[in-house]
Amino acid sequence: MIRKVRPHINQNEPLLFERSSPGKRGYQLPALDVPAVDAAAVLGGRNTRAEIEGFPEVSEVEAIRHFTRLSTHNYAIDLGLYPLGSCTMKYNPRVNEQVARIEGLAWAHPYQPESLSQGILEVMGALEKMLAEITGMDAVTLQPAAGAHGEFTGILLIRALLESRGNPRKKLLIPDSAHGTNPATATTAGYAVENIKSNARGMVDVEELAKSVTEDVAALMITNPNTLGVFEENITRIAEILHAKGAMVYMDGANMNALVGIARPGDFGVDVMHLNLHKTFSTPHGGGGPGSGPVAVKGPLAPFLPTPRLQRVGSRWTWNYDLAQSIGRVRAFYGNIGMHIRALAYILAHGGDGLRNATKDAVLNANYIRTLIEPYYDLPHKAPTMHECVFSDDRQSKRGVRTGDIAKRLIDYGFHPYTVSFPLIVHGALMIEPTETESKDELDLFIDAMISIAQEVEENPEVVLKAPHDTRTSRVDEVTAARKPVVRWKPESTSGKAAD
Amino acid sequence: MLSAIGANSIEDLFAHLPAEVRLNRPLDIAPGKSEYEIVDYFKARGEENANGYASFLGAGVYHHYRPVLVDTVVSRGEFLTSYTPYQAEIAQGTLTTIFEFQTMICQLTGMEVANASMYDGSTAVPEAAMMAMRITGRDRIVVARTVHPEYREVLATYAQHQGMPVAECGYRRDAGTLDEDDLEKRVDEETAAVIIQSPNFFGIVEDVRRAAEIAHRRGALLIVVFAEAVSLGLLEPPREADIVAGELQSFAISPAYGGPFAGIIATKEKFMRQMPGRIVGETKDSRGNRAFCLTLATREQHIRREKATSNICTNQALIALMATVFMTVYGKEGLRELAEQNLAKAHYLAGKVPLRFSGPFFNEFVASTNGRAPDQVNDGLLKKKIIGGLALGRFYPELENAMLLCATEMSRREKMDAVAEAFQG
């Protein structure tokens, strides 16, 4: 039985371009207080354009209705559990949004004098310090724009340190359970990739790893807890193996929500890692960004951090550009400051104990889900669960129902699906991460839904295979979208569909 | 919950962690604060920054008015607290707005396809360069010195490990435009792409057609960068470019001390499969209704892993939405009028100070400080609560007695008069 939702009336909305009428406008500009100039005269006639063909022309009320109607076609954390594994979809506190809009912070120009920027620099300095404490590392850069950008930065740091020792080496070892960004990053940073197989418990096989660690290996890129939500129990030994051969340990911090206040990567042999402020530190995901991917390092890597470095000189903050060994810039200016403000607000609100409690609740919630749905779904790896649990569709696929179908059926029950078909080492994976911000009531509704769907698979698989049934958009034909890509509106391509 | 799990305490759930990895003390972070205290803390930090100053800084970050509708829309939880629209059936809101965004970026830039956003303009540049390498099978890049200096620094960071030698092409000391003779000499049969910016870092409109001719004659691609998107309301778009890489901060994104912003890459349809980043496409649902979904994912790292076109995953969707709302509110007439106001303000101010270059400019320009250090002029202005221009010596040693000044629709006449006065004193 579906308890969480029932359908309601939802507005249709055409594309902006179909809604436009010539001459409609939703803006006002003040009267010009200087003489107008003739654009063609000062810029040259061939440098000025005719009107922007097809650009929208709508009134203010049409604009607000357009975007408000579209917003109601979305699911969001604000509507309920969003258990995308490895994405850490926790509540985004609204006070963070408010403080990020404070005028002196939001309207600060990156080139304004340092003497007029001390407030924002203090925010960044405080965040760097707290992230170093949380990770157990020695230095932090806030410059990278997102997780994958942080990975890229971290790998360049490793390359720079090894190069300074005479040999940057050739390859990175990456477990087969890793996020796809890890191998893509390795290539961007000029390294070859060697995959490391996981053992039956879903962890890095230490013996296999030892064989792969040669003088050609620059680093291991490891996610801990890994994408199965399993803590790599041999992490200290793994780090020793790498270090013994002069290689480094890079940790993907995507799953740091399982560790904050409990264990610190800097204490278990990690040399460099990134954090995703949009995961662990509650900055909103915004439909796919902006994120922020600070990188934390041990002392030997600190001289190579991106230019510029924030520095405290006496009682003032200042930017240091005089960094002979730096890898250079990975981004213009200093990073996604708006996300830094929000993350600091999150840390200040929680305090040290609060952060630790959040971690405990996240692990409790994941274990609760694991225990209660394990009788109905195959759990291929039995190692203890941290912040997320990964099932497979092994049982359901015998009835012709795959993880993607179960995911779509969850939508009818009022939930966003879990992460589908990842990690790759689990065939037909269901990767579930509830986070700490969900109540027992919401978890129980989710568990009931999962159990109910498992029963539907046995009794009436068709209802699952054709899901979702009650959404305004039914199953979307992604195959045709990729085969014949239509990636922009054109007047002719959508004629006759204006009333959609 | 614990009894359902079969644990005595939450601590039990961590019992499997090896003792040596556990943190055996509390984090050294002060106890949690109330909402009021947090607001108070950040208000105090805001007060320590420039407040109530007029600013004439541009240089890649522009002070434009943000229509109220922008914040109203992006504050809706349905947009703010959703993630990458993997599940199309319950993400049509985000997917539709991205499709509209891609369309508007094409209309603005004169390109045929655009992606759903990049981190920012600076990282869009190396991504565009790597895309050109994949398309041409060549590895050399020529970049104009009139491209934003920090964008060029980011390009250098990416290039050094891509086997991608980067050469810089100079500028004409009189006009402030790309030195086309120098470009001719530097482009050869191994050049993958020529990268120029227009308006360039000095605010000057480059001759895109001429640069395209030089690049294309040798089989290289032309990448045109823009940092001031409002200029596209008035300027002929870079139709001759093969790839356009740009920064949308001007479209209602607060300066926020440098980010978050949103970059874009747009290109010709034939290069679409080499484009990095997310792309939304139109399709139908099983009932035959129009629907949108993420598409061409086989380029991306989830599937291609080390063979992906880029490692980018999370991009800047909410910022792209802000830009989408901005473009909607201003629309066809408004963006042009906004650009015309910028042009008028900048030319008013430029008429009162000594110009360093003769090339045509949009809303920023280089002013000579007549043998004085730019800081001398700026210090005087700070006393009047005016932040002057960017001293250029840090990026261009030969321009140590020059500053980059920017005027937008936000610049008031009396403040511009005060700037002009400071140049005389």
Side-chain angles (χ1 to χ4, degrees):
Chain A
M1 186 191 153
I2 296 174
R3 286 195 287 151
K4 193 179 175 232
V5 285
R6 66 174 188 232
H8 80 135
I9 299 298
N10 190 282
Q11 307 283 321
N12 293 331
E13 181 61 18
L15 294 175
L16 280 168
F17 318 104
E18 297 157 350
R19 192 170 260 307
S20 294
S21 316
K24 278 199 178 179
R25 45 196 280 176
Y27 73 98
Q28 306 100 27
L29 279 164
L32 203 52
D33 63 357
V34 298
V37 297
D38 178 352
V42 299
L43 292 169
R46 65 182 221 154
N47 284 331
T48 52
R49 78 187 297 166
E51 68 170 33
I52 307 171
E53 207 180 324
F55 224 52
E57 292 178 277
V58 297
S59 69
E60 181 172 328
V61 68
E62 285 172 326
I64 192 85
R65 282 194 186 145
H66 176 76
F67 292 107
T68 305
R69 286 171 178 172
L70 290 179
S71 77
T72 66
H73 303 173
N74 267 5
Y75 188 87
I77 302 172
D78 280 2
L79 292 168
L81 175 72
Y82 207 127
L84 274 180
S86 261
C87 295
T88 313
M89 302 296 286
K90 63 172 70 177
Y91 170 62
N92 308 134
R94 284 313 198 278
V95 64
N96 301 1
E97 296 307 306
Q98 188 174 325
V99 297
R101 286 168 168 78
I102 288 171
E103 182 150 355
L105 304 175
W107 292 89
H109 192 286
Y111 291 143
Q112 71 188 32
E114 282 176 3
S115 60
L116 294 174
S117 309
Q118 290 297 305
I120 194 73
L121 296 178
E122 169 63 26
V123 167
M124 297 176 75
L127 181 62
E128 281 190 6
K129 184 164 172 253
M130 290 181 199
L131 296 179
E133 165 66 6
I134 288 165
T135 55
M137 309 294 276
D138 299 321
V140 174
T141 175
L142 301 177
Q143 199 177 100
H149 202 215
E151 291 175 25
F152 172 67
T153 306
I155 297 303
L156 289 191
L157 293 171
I158 289 173
R159 177 183 269 281
L161 175 63
L162 293 175
E163 223 158 39
S164 77
R165 291 176 180 170
N167 179 5
R169 305 190 175 195
K170 294 192 175 66
K171 63 186 175 186
L172 298 177
L173 304 180
I174 301 179
D176 51 10
S177 59
H179 297 112
T181 50
N182 292 178
T185 296
T187 306
T188 312
Y191 280 114
V193 174
E194 183 175 329
N195 282 301
I196 299 293
K197 280 209 180 342
S198 305
N199 65 20
R201 299 191 71 215
M203 299 183 203
V204 170
D205 188 318
V206 177
E207 302 312 314
E208 286 298 310
L209 174 74
K211 285 181 212 157
S212 298
V213 180
T214 64
E215 306 286 332
D216 273 346
V217 172
L220 168 72
M221 282 185 95
I222 193 167
T223 309
N224 195 19
N226 64 26
T227 55
L228 296 168
V230 171
F231 190 86
E232 295 280 354
E233 289 173 6
N234 298 311
I235 186 67
T236 317
R237 174 84 193 105
I238 289 169
E240 283 167 10
I241 292 170
L242 272 298
H243 292 158
K245 295 275 186 185
M248 313 244 136
V249 178
Y250 181 93
M251 187 175 121
D252 181 327
N255 295 339
M256 196 62 197
N257 211 43
L259 298 183
V260 175
I262 299 287
R264 306 194 310 168
D267 296 337
F268 53 71
V270 170
D271 300 291
V272 50
M273 68 179 293
H274 79 264
L275 295 160
N276 302 74
L277 298 187
H278 48 295
K279 296 181 180 177
T280 316
F281 297 94
S282 83
T283 74
H285 282 75
S292 178
V295 169
V297 299
K298 284 295 181 58
L301 286 146
F304 304 95
L305 285 167
T307 310
R309 293 282 300 136
L310 187 58
Q311 215 177 14
R312 188 84 175 165
V313 177
S315 61
R316 305 196 73 74
W317 292 104
T318 180
W319 288 109
N320 180 7
Y321 290 86
D322 184 20
L323 303 161
Q325 291 185 288
S326 166
I327 59 168
R329 278 186 174 282
V330 295
R331 187 196 183 286
F333 315 116
Y334 322 106
N336 283 350
I337 313 301
M339 303 298 113
H340 305 161
I341 295 168
R342 290 170 175 86
L344 181 64
Y346 173 86
I347 294 171
L348 291 176
H350 280 72
D353 285 347
L355 290 171
R356 183 185 163 88
N357 286 337
T359 304
K360 288 175 157 185
D361 288 346
V363 172
L364 174 67
N365 283 353
N367 275 280
Y368 184 68
I369 288 176
R370 168 183 162 163
T371 308
L372 293 186
I373 70 174
E374 197 175 340
Y376 306 90
Y377 294 87
D378 176 57
L379 185 77
H381 300 280
K382 311 286 191 212
T385 285
M386 296 288 284
H387 66 299
E388 65 190 359
C389 48
V390 179
F391 291 90
S392 89
D393 62 11
D394 193 51
R395 280 182 225 172
Q396 288 73 28
S397 64
K398 293 188 176 68
R399 306 280 296 173
V401 175
R402 318 306 291 257
T403 176
D405 304 316
I406 300 165
K408 296 298 185 201
R409 184 60 177 151
L410 260 179
I411 294 171
D412 284 330
Y413 281 80
F415 289 99
H416 193 281
Y418 46 76
T419 294
V420 177
S421 303
F422 186 84
L424 304 179
I425 57 169
V426 172
H427 189 73
L430 296 69
M431 185 194 211
I432 304 168
E433 180 183 9
T435 84
E436 71 279 9
T437 55
E438 297 306 326
S439 68
K440 179 172 178 295
D441 288 345
E442 185 78 2
L443 297 177
D444 283 337
L445 282 170
F446 175 74
I447 290 161
D448 286 352
M450 290 298 291
I451 294 171
S452 180
I453 294 169
Q455 284 161 351
E456 287 173 346
V457 170
E458 296 305 316
E459 292 156 12
N460 182 14
E462 277 299 298
V463 76
V464 182
L465 288 168
K466 295 218 167 91
H469 301 274
D470 295 331
T471 46
R472 60 172 290 115
T473 298
S474 61
R475 252 192 226 205
V476 168
D477 181 359
E478 297 183 356
V479 175
T480 304
R483 195 173 294 151
K484 294 181 190 159
V486 177
V487 300
R488 64 175 291 193
W489 177 83
K490 282 180 194 159
E492 65 278 11
S493 73
T494 42
S495 58
K497 291 292 292 179
D500 176 60
Chain B
M1 289 171 79
L2 283 168
S3 64
I5 296 168
N8 292 318
S9 70
I10 298 183
E11 219 17 72
D12 285 2
L13 303 175
F14 295 91
H16 63 284
L17 296 187
E20 75 269 16
V21 311
R22 291 293 302 262
L23 179 66
N24 294 315
R25 61 167 176 82
L27 285 172
D28 183 15
I29 292 174
K33 292 187 194 324
S34 68
E35 186 172 298
Y36 165 73
E37 291 168 297
I38 288 166
V39 172
D40 214 42
Y41 169 85
F42 284 100
K43 273 189 179 162
R45 299 292 81 72
E47 293 299 322
E48 291 162 7
N49 281 356
N51 269 297
Y53 282 69
S55 169
F56 290 89
L57 288 170
V61 181
Y62 302 92
H63 195 179
H64 291 295
Y65 178 70
R66 175 198 284 187
V68 169
L69 234 53
V70 173
D71 245 1
T72 307
V73 170
V74 298
S75 297
R76 286 194 68 92
E78 297 93 330
F79 286 128
L80 183 74
T81 75
S82 57
Y83 198 22
T84 305
Y86 298 118
Q87 298 291 341
E89 294 83 357
I90 47 170
Q92 287 297 305
T94 295
L95 287 162
T96 307
T97 61
I98 294 175
F99 186 79
E100 291 176 334
F101 171 82
Q102 289 172 180
T103 302
M104 283 192 260
I105 295 302
C106 291
Q107 292 164 343
L108 264 186
T109 58
M111 292 289 106
E112 293 165 350
V113 294
N115 70 6
S117 74
M118 305 299 292
Y119 300 137
D120 72 343
S122 75
T123 52
V125 170
E127 292 279 4
M130 291 188 284
M131 179 177 161
M133 283 174 68
R134 292 191 293 274
I135 292 168
T136 60
R138 302 177 179 185
D139 61 6
R140 290 177 186 275
I141 301 292
V142 179
V143 61
R145 271 191 85 214
T146 47
V147 171
H148 195 302
E150 295 199 15
Y151 290 16
R152 282 183 284 127
E153 287 179 45
V154 176
L155 176 66
T157 304
Y158 276 75
Q160 61 189 327
H161 306 300
Q162 288 287 317
M164 181 163 79
V166 177
E168 293 200 333
C169 168
Y171 62 90
R172 285 172 51 193
R173 300 302 160 101
D174 52 349
T177 52
L178 171 79
D179 182 339
E180 286 144 359
D181 298 333
D182 192 32
L183 184 64
E184 287 270 15
K185 278 183 236 151
R186 292 181 187 278
V187 180
D188 61 25
E189 272 65 33
E190 290 172 40
T191 307
V194 170
I195 306 178
I196 67 168
Q197 178 179 323
S198 185
N200 69 22
F201 187 69
F202 304 139
I204 295 172
V205 180
E206 294 279 15
D207 188 343
V208 174
R209 290 184 192 87
R210 182 84 185 95
E213 280 166 24
I214 296 169
H216 291 162
R217 201 182 308 135
R218 301 295 184 101
L221 302 189
L222 178 68
I223 298 171
V224 176
V225 178
F226 66 86
E228 170 44 297
V230 167
S231 69
L232 287 165
L234 200 50
L235 292 180
E236 174 65 10
R239 298 181 206 278
E240 299 79 8
D242 301 285
I243 305 171
V244 174
E247 168 60 64
L248 299 179
Q249 182 273 330
S250 279
F251 287 174
I253 321 303
S254 60
Y257 204 58
F261 300 159
I264 58 101
I265 286 185
T267 187
K268 308 283 190 199
E269 202 164 329
K270 62 185 172 187
F271 300 139
M272 177 164 54
R273 285 174 197 276
Q274 294 301 330
M275 190 161 61
R278 310 273 192 204
I279 302 173
V280 168
E282 181 183 331
T283 183
K284 285 186 167 37
D285 73 2
S286 60
R287 297 182 196 124
N289 290 318
R290 178 163 71 187
F292 300 95
C293 63
L294 290 172
T295 194
L296 302 176
T298 49
R299 301 163 301 116
E300 293 186 47
Q301 76 288 345
H302 308 291
I303 294 171
R304 293 277 284 174
R305 295 178 80 85
E306 62 266 29
K307 296 189 185 68
T309 53
S310 163
N311 75 336
I312 191 169
C313 181
T314 292
N315 49 51
Q316 304 288 115
L318 198 73
I319 308 289
L321 177 60
M322 294 170 88
T324 304
V325 180
F326 175 93
M327 289 188 276
T328 304
V329 169
Y330 275 104
K332 189 186 278 185
E333 286 181 20
L335 194 62
R336 184 175 191 95
E337 194 182 329
L338 178 65
E340 284 170 346
Q341 285 211 358
N342 275 258
L343 187 77
K345 299 267 189 173
H347 281 76
Y348 175 81
L349 176 57
K352 292 172 174 286
V353 297
L355 291 186
R356 176 68 181 76
F357 297 122
S358 61
F361 60 91
F362 175 60
N363 69 351
E364 55 191 331
F365 55 86
V366 177
S368 292
T369 46
N370 287 336
R372 283 195 296 164
D375 282 350
Q376 253 180 294
V377 177
N378 282 338
D379 288 348
L381 286 168
L382 285 176
K383 294 191 187 94
K384 298 178 182 165
K385 295 203 90 173
I386 294 172
I387 297 173
L390 177 74
L392 286 172
R394 67 189 277 193
F395 296 126
Y396 301 90
E398 70 276 16
L399 297 175
E400 65 174 342
N401 289 332
M403 67 163 75
L404 184 63
L405 281 166
C406 174
T408 72
E409 79 282 5
M410 305 287 280
S411 307
R412 282 162 46 200
R413 182 173 184 153
E414 64 268 24
K415 302 288 182 189
M416 293 196 279
D417 291 341
V419 172
E421 206 175 297
F423 269 77
Q424 283 142 25

